[in-house]
mmCIF file of all heavy atoms in Angstrom:
data_model
loop_
_atom_site.group_PDB
_atom_site.id
_atom_site.type_symbol
_atom_site.label_atom_id
_atom_site.label_comp_id
_atom_site.label_asym_id
_atom_site.label_seq_id
_atom_site.Cartn_x
_atom_site.Cartn_y
_atom_site.Cartn_z
ATOM 1 N N GLU A 19 0.855 -1.220 0.017
ATOM 2 C CA GLU A 19 0.009 -0.025 -0.005
ATOM 3 C C GLU A 19 0.884 1.251 0.012
ATOM 4 O O GLU A 19 0.558 2.196 -0.696
ATOM 5 C CB GLU A 19 -0.936 0.024 1.180
ATOM 6 C CG GLU A 19 -2.129 -0.968 1.010
ATOM 7 C CD GLU A 19 -2.943 -0.667 -0.233
ATOM 8 O OE1 GLU A 19 -3.297 0.472 -0.524
ATOM 9 O OE2 GLU A 19 -3.235 -1.618 -0.982
ATOM 10 N N ASP A 20 1.960 1.236 0.789
ATOM 11 C CA ASP A 20 2.872 2.394 0.833
ATOM 12 C C ASP A 20 3.547 2.514 -0.525
ATOM 13 O O ASP A 20 3.775 3.679 -1.003
ATOM 14 C CB ASP A 20 3.875 2.172 1.967
ATOM 15 C CG ASP A 20 4.628 3.482 2.308
ATOM 16 O OD1 ASP A 20 3.997 4.542 2.397
ATOM 17 O OD2 ASP A 20 5.877 3.355 2.438
ATOM 18 N N LEU A 21 3.880 1.432 -1.151
ATOM 19 C CA LEU A 21 4.504 1.465 -2.532
ATOM 20 C C LEU A 21 3.482 2.074 -3.492
ATOM 21 O O LEU A 21 3.904 2.901 -4.343
ATOM 22 C CB LEU A 21 4.933 0.035 -2.945
ATOM 23 C CG LEU A 21 5.407 -0.092 -4.371
ATOM 24 C CD1 LEU A 21 6.653 0.777 -4.656
ATOM 25 C CD2 LEU A 21 5.609 -1.487 -4.778
ATOM 26 N N LYS A 22 2.259 1.692 -3.455
ATOM 27 C CA LYS A 22 1.240 2.316 -4.329
ATOM 28 C C LYS A 22 1.230 3.797 -4.210
ATOM 29 O O LYS A 22 1.101 4.509 -5.230
ATOM 30 C CB LYS A 22 -0.128 1.682 -4.087
ATOM 31 C CG LYS A 22 -0.274 0.280 -4.536
ATOM 32 C CD LYS A 22 -1.669 -0.205 -4.143
ATOM 33 C CE LYS A 22 -1.875 -1.702 -4.508
ATOM 34 N NZ LYS A 22 -3.203 -2.160 -4.053
ATOM 35 N N GLU A 23 1.314 4.289 -2.998
ATOM 36 C CA GLU A 23 1.298 5.754 -2.762
ATOM 37 C C GLU A 23 2.531 6.342 -3.333
ATOM 38 O O GLU A 23 2.539 7.421 -3.978
ATOM 39 C CB GLU A 23 1.187 6.075 -1.253
ATOM 40 C CG GLU A 23 1.135 7.541 -0.946
ATOM 41 C CD GLU A 23 0.005 8.333 -1.581
ATOM 42 O OE1 GLU A 23 -0.991 7.734 -1.883
ATOM 43 O OE2 GLU A 23 0.170 9.503 -1.752
ATOM 44 N N ALA A 24 3.680 5.720 -3.164
ATOM 45 C CA ALA A 24 4.950 6.183 -3.776
ATOM 46 C C ALA A 24 4.901 6.232 -5.276
ATOM 47 O O ALA A 24 5.332 7.161 -5.915
ATOM 48 C CB ALA A 24 6.137 5.345 -3.272
ATOM 49 N N LEU A 25 4.278 5.184 -5.860
ATOM 50 C CA LEU A 25 4.119 5.206 -7.309
ATOM 51 C C LEU A 25 3.180 6.303 -7.761
ATOM 52 O O LEU A 25 3.428 6.983 -8.827
ATOM 53 C CB LEU A 25 3.580 3.848 -7.786
ATOM 54 C CG LEU A 25 4.543 2.687 -7.659
ATOM 55 C CD1 LEU A 25 3.822 1.365 -7.871
ATOM 56 C CD2 LEU A 25 5.711 2.871 -8.602
ATOM 57 N N ARG A 26 2.107 6.594 -6.996
ATOM 58 C CA ARG A 26 1.204 7.699 -7.341
ATOM 59 C C ARG A 26 1.946 9.031 -7.321
ATOM 60 O O ARG A 26 1.775 9.867 -8.210
ATOM 61 C CB ARG A 26 -0.012 7.749 -6.361
ATOM 62 C CG ARG A 26 -1.112 6.823 -6.716
ATOM 63 C CD ARG A 26 -2.353 7.090 -5.917
ATOM 64 N NE ARG A 26 -2.219 6.600 -4.577
ATOM 65 C CZ ARG A 26 -2.563 5.344 -4.199
ATOM 66 N NH1 ARG A 26 -2.971 4.507 -5.127
ATOM 67 N NH2 ARG A 26 -2.448 4.937 -2.988
ATOM 68 N N LEU A 27 2.803 9.193 -6.290
ATOM 69 C CA LEU A 27 3.581 10.479 -6.206
ATOM 70 C C LEU A 27 4.582 10.596 -7.294
ATOM 71 O O LEU A 27 4.804 11.649 -7.866
ATOM 72 C CB LEU A 27 4.229 10.539 -4.848
ATOM 73 C CG LEU A 27 3.355 10.748 -3.635
ATOM 74 C CD1 LEU A 27 4.096 10.543 -2.313
ATOM 75 C CD2 LEU A 27 2.565 12.049 -3.703
ATOM 76 N N TYR A 28 5.240 9.468 -7.696
ATOM 77 C CA TYR A 28 6.192 9.479 -8.763
ATOM 78 C C TYR A 28 5.520 9.905 -10.048
ATOM 79 O O TYR A 28 6.037 10.754 -10.737
ATOM 80 C CB TYR A 28 6.819 8.085 -8.902
ATOM 81 C CG TYR A 28 7.886 8.016 -9.959
ATOM 82 C CD1 TYR A 28 9.221 8.254 -9.652
ATOM 83 C CD2 TYR A 28 7.576 7.798 -11.320
ATOM 84 C CE1 TYR A 28 10.181 8.313 -10.606
ATOM 85 C CE2 TYR A 28 8.542 7.754 -12.274
ATOM 86 C CZ TYR A 28 9.866 8.010 -11.957
ATOM 87 O OH TYR A 28 10.836 8.017 -12.915
ATOM 88 N N ILE A 29 4.320 9.359 -10.304
ATOM 89 C CA ILE A 29 3.624 9.633 -11.499
ATOM 90 C C ILE A 29 3.127 11.133 -11.454
ATOM 91 O O ILE A 29 3.188 11.813 -12.482
ATOM 92 C CB ILE A 29 2.406 8.689 -11.719
ATOM 93 C CG1 ILE A 29 2.972 7.304 -12.062
ATOM 94 C CG2 ILE A 29 1.499 9.221 -12.801
ATOM 95 C CD1 ILE A 29 1.921 6.217 -11.987
ATOM 96 N N GLU A 30 2.732 11.574 -10.332
ATOM 97 C CA GLU A 30 2.325 12.951 -10.215
ATOM 98 C C GLU A 30 3.450 13.939 -10.491
ATOM 99 O O GLU A 30 3.264 14.971 -11.113
ATOM 100 C CB GLU A 30 1.845 13.209 -8.773
ATOM 101 C CG GLU A 30 1.173 14.525 -8.530
ATOM 102 C CD GLU A 30 0.600 14.607 -7.043
ATOM 103 O OE1 GLU A 30 -0.286 13.866 -6.740
ATOM 104 O OE2 GLU A 30 1.095 15.533 -6.388
ATOM 105 N N VAL A 31 4.647 13.596 -10.054
ATOM 106 C CA VAL A 31 5.822 14.514 -10.258
ATOM 107 C C VAL A 31 6.417 14.302 -11.664
ATOM 108 O O VAL A 31 6.689 15.293 -12.386
ATOM 109 C CB VAL A 31 6.891 14.265 -9.194
ATOM 110 C CG1 VAL A 31 8.172 14.967 -9.502
ATOM 111 C CG2 VAL A 31 6.346 14.663 -7.813
ATOM 112 N N ARG A 32 6.609 13.086 -12.056
ATOM 113 C CA ARG A 32 7.317 12.768 -13.369
ATOM 114 C C ARG A 32 6.416 12.572 -14.516
ATOM 115 O O ARG A 32 6.880 12.758 -15.644
ATOM 116 C CB ARG A 32 8.196 11.535 -13.153
ATOM 117 C CG ARG A 32 9.175 11.580 -12.056
ATOM 118 C CD ARG A 32 10.332 12.337 -12.450
ATOM 119 N NE ARG A 32 11.342 12.314 -11.331
ATOM 120 C CZ ARG A 32 12.555 12.761 -11.427
ATOM 121 N NH1 ARG A 32 13.005 13.178 -12.575
ATOM 122 N NH2 ARG A 32 13.401 12.710 -10.444
ATOM 123 N N GLY A 33 5.204 12.182 -14.231
ATOM 124 C CA GLY A 33 4.253 11.897 -15.366
ATOM 125 C C GLY A 33 4.178 10.375 -15.684
ATOM 126 O O GLY A 33 5.058 9.657 -15.446
ATOM 127 N N ILE A 34 3.030 10.091 -16.166
ATOM 128 C CA ILE A 34 2.734 8.627 -16.508
ATOM 129 C C ILE A 34 3.684 8.155 -17.626
ATOM 130 O O ILE A 34 4.159 7.016 -17.600
ATOM 131 C CB ILE A 34 1.281 8.401 -16.875
ATOM 132 C CG1 ILE A 34 0.947 6.914 -16.973
ATOM 133 C CG2 ILE A 34 0.868 9.146 -18.089
ATOM 134 C CD1 ILE A 34 1.114 6.116 -15.712
ATOM 135 N N ASP A 35 4.007 8.994 -18.638
ATOM 136 C CA ASP A 35 4.895 8.587 -19.665
ATOM 137 C C ASP A 35 6.221 8.224 -19.166
ATOM 138 O O ASP A 35 6.859 7.251 -19.635
ATOM 139 C CB ASP A 35 4.966 9.624 -20.742
ATOM 140 C CG ASP A 35 3.630 9.803 -21.516
ATOM 141 O OD1 ASP A 35 2.798 8.800 -21.538
ATOM 142 O OD2 ASP A 35 3.429 10.878 -22.095
ATOM 143 N N ALA A 36 6.772 9.034 -18.183
ATOM 144 C CA ALA A 36 8.096 8.716 -17.641
ATOM 145 C C ALA A 36 8.067 7.378 -16.897
ATOM 146 O O ALA A 36 8.969 6.615 -16.989
ATOM 147 C CB ALA A 36 8.515 9.825 -16.737
ATOM 148 N N ALA A 37 7.015 7.149 -16.122
ATOM 149 C CA ALA A 37 6.915 5.898 -15.393
ATOM 150 C C ALA A 37 6.779 4.707 -16.347
ATOM 151 O O ALA A 37 7.480 3.685 -16.170
ATOM 152 C CB ALA A 37 5.712 5.914 -14.415
ATOM 153 N N MET A 38 5.925 4.835 -17.342
ATOM 154 C CA MET A 38 5.769 3.776 -18.313
ATOM 155 C C MET A 38 7.037 3.469 -19.107
ATOM 156 O O MET A 38 7.278 2.309 -19.502
ATOM 157 C CB MET A 38 4.624 4.101 -19.257
ATOM 158 C CG MET A 38 3.261 4.147 -18.555
ATOM 159 S SD MET A 38 2.721 2.591 -17.843
ATOM 160 C CE MET A 38 2.297 1.689 -19.384
ATOM 161 N N SER A 39 7.815 4.453 -19.391
ATOM 162 C CA SER A 39 9.024 4.279 -20.123
ATOM 163 C C SER A 39 10.060 3.409 -19.365
ATOM 164 O O SER A 39 10.970 2.873 -19.973
ATOM 165 C CB SER A 39 9.658 5.629 -20.563
ATOM 166 O OG SER A 39 10.273 6.265 -19.443
ATOM 167 N N LEU A 40 9.922 3.410 -18.061
ATOM 168 C CA LEU A 40 10.862 2.654 -17.215
ATOM 169 C C LEU A 40 10.519 1.175 -17.135
ATOM 170 O O LEU A 40 11.369 0.333 -16.781
ATOM 171 C CB LEU A 40 10.960 3.218 -15.853
ATOM 172 C CG LEU A 40 11.538 4.655 -15.737
ATOM 173 C CD1 LEU A 40 11.426 5.171 -14.352
ATOM 174 C CD2 LEU A 40 12.938 4.703 -16.229
ATOM 175 N N VAL A 41 9.270 0.877 -17.353
ATOM 176 C CA VAL A 41 8.770 -0.544 -17.139
ATOM 177 C C VAL A 41 9.150 -1.343 -18.382
ATOM 178 O O VAL A 41 8.874 -0.953 -19.461
ATOM 179 C CB VAL A 41 7.220 -0.523 -16.885
ATOM 180 C CG1 VAL A 41 6.713 -1.885 -16.811
ATOM 181 C CG2 VAL A 41 6.890 0.307 -15.699
ATOM 182 N N CYS A 42 9.717 -2.486 -18.089
ATOM 183 C CA CYS A 42 10.102 -3.411 -19.138
ATOM 184 C C CYS A 42 9.096 -4.553 -19.151
ATOM 185 O O CYS A 42 9.242 -5.490 -18.403
ATOM 186 C CB CYS A 42 11.527 -3.941 -18.924
ATOM 187 S SG CYS A 42 12.087 -5.057 -20.194
ATOM 188 N N PRO A 43 8.062 -4.476 -20.051
ATOM 189 C CA PRO A 43 6.985 -5.439 -19.981
ATOM 190 C C PRO A 43 7.383 -6.837 -20.435
ATOM 191 O O PRO A 43 6.714 -7.801 -20.170
ATOM 192 C CB PRO A 43 5.944 -4.883 -20.907
ATOM 193 C CG PRO A 43 6.677 -4.018 -21.841
ATOM 194 C CD PRO A 43 7.863 -3.480 -21.036
ATOM 195 N N ARG A 44 8.537 -6.983 -21.090
ATOM 196 C CA ARG A 44 8.949 -8.284 -21.551
ATOM 197 C C ARG A 44 9.962 -8.942 -20.652
ATOM 198 O O ARG A 44 10.431 -9.979 -21.022
ATOM 199 C CB ARG A 44 9.500 -8.143 -22.993
ATOM 200 C CG ARG A 44 8.406 -7.693 -23.951
ATOM 201 C CD ARG A 44 8.864 -7.826 -25.396
ATOM 202 N NE ARG A 44 7.745 -7.384 -26.195
ATOM 203 C CZ ARG A 44 7.843 -6.711 -27.295
ATOM 204 N NH1 ARG A 44 9.058 -6.328 -27.704
ATOM 205 N NH2 ARG A 44 6.833 -6.360 -27.997
ATOM 206 N N ALA A 45 10.288 -8.329 -19.571
ATOM 207 C CA ALA A 45 11.261 -8.954 -18.674
ATOM 208 C C ALA A 45 10.660 -10.226 -18.075
ATOM 209 O O ALA A 45 9.495 -10.318 -17.798
ATOM 210 C CB ALA A 45 11.569 -7.967 -17.564
ATOM 211 N N VAL A 46 11.554 -11.191 -17.915
ATOM 212 C CA VAL A 46 11.204 -12.473 -17.280
ATOM 213 C C VAL A 46 11.978 -12.567 -16.003
ATOM 214 O O VAL A 46 13.190 -12.395 -16.010
ATOM 215 C CB VAL A 46 11.506 -13.650 -18.199
ATOM 216 C CG1 VAL A 46 11.226 -14.965 -17.534
ATOM 217 C CG2 VAL A 46 10.694 -13.516 -19.522
#
């Protein structure tokens, strides 16, 4: 739950595009 809040704040400051650009959806 605390991580979810940290992610919300990250997105609020950096933007959703910045957050999405960091995620590697094909990682195993």
Side-chain angles (χ1 to χ4, degrees):
E19 285 303 313
D20 195 44
L21 173 62
K22 288 178 184 178
E23 180 61 23
L25 290 169
R26 276 191 283 275
L27 291 172
Y28 184 90
I29 291 167
E30 188 176 298
V31 171
R32 304 282 183 168
I34 189 67
D35 291 336
M38 294 295 288
S39 73
L40 296 174
V41 176
C42 182
R44 296 192 178 140
V46 175

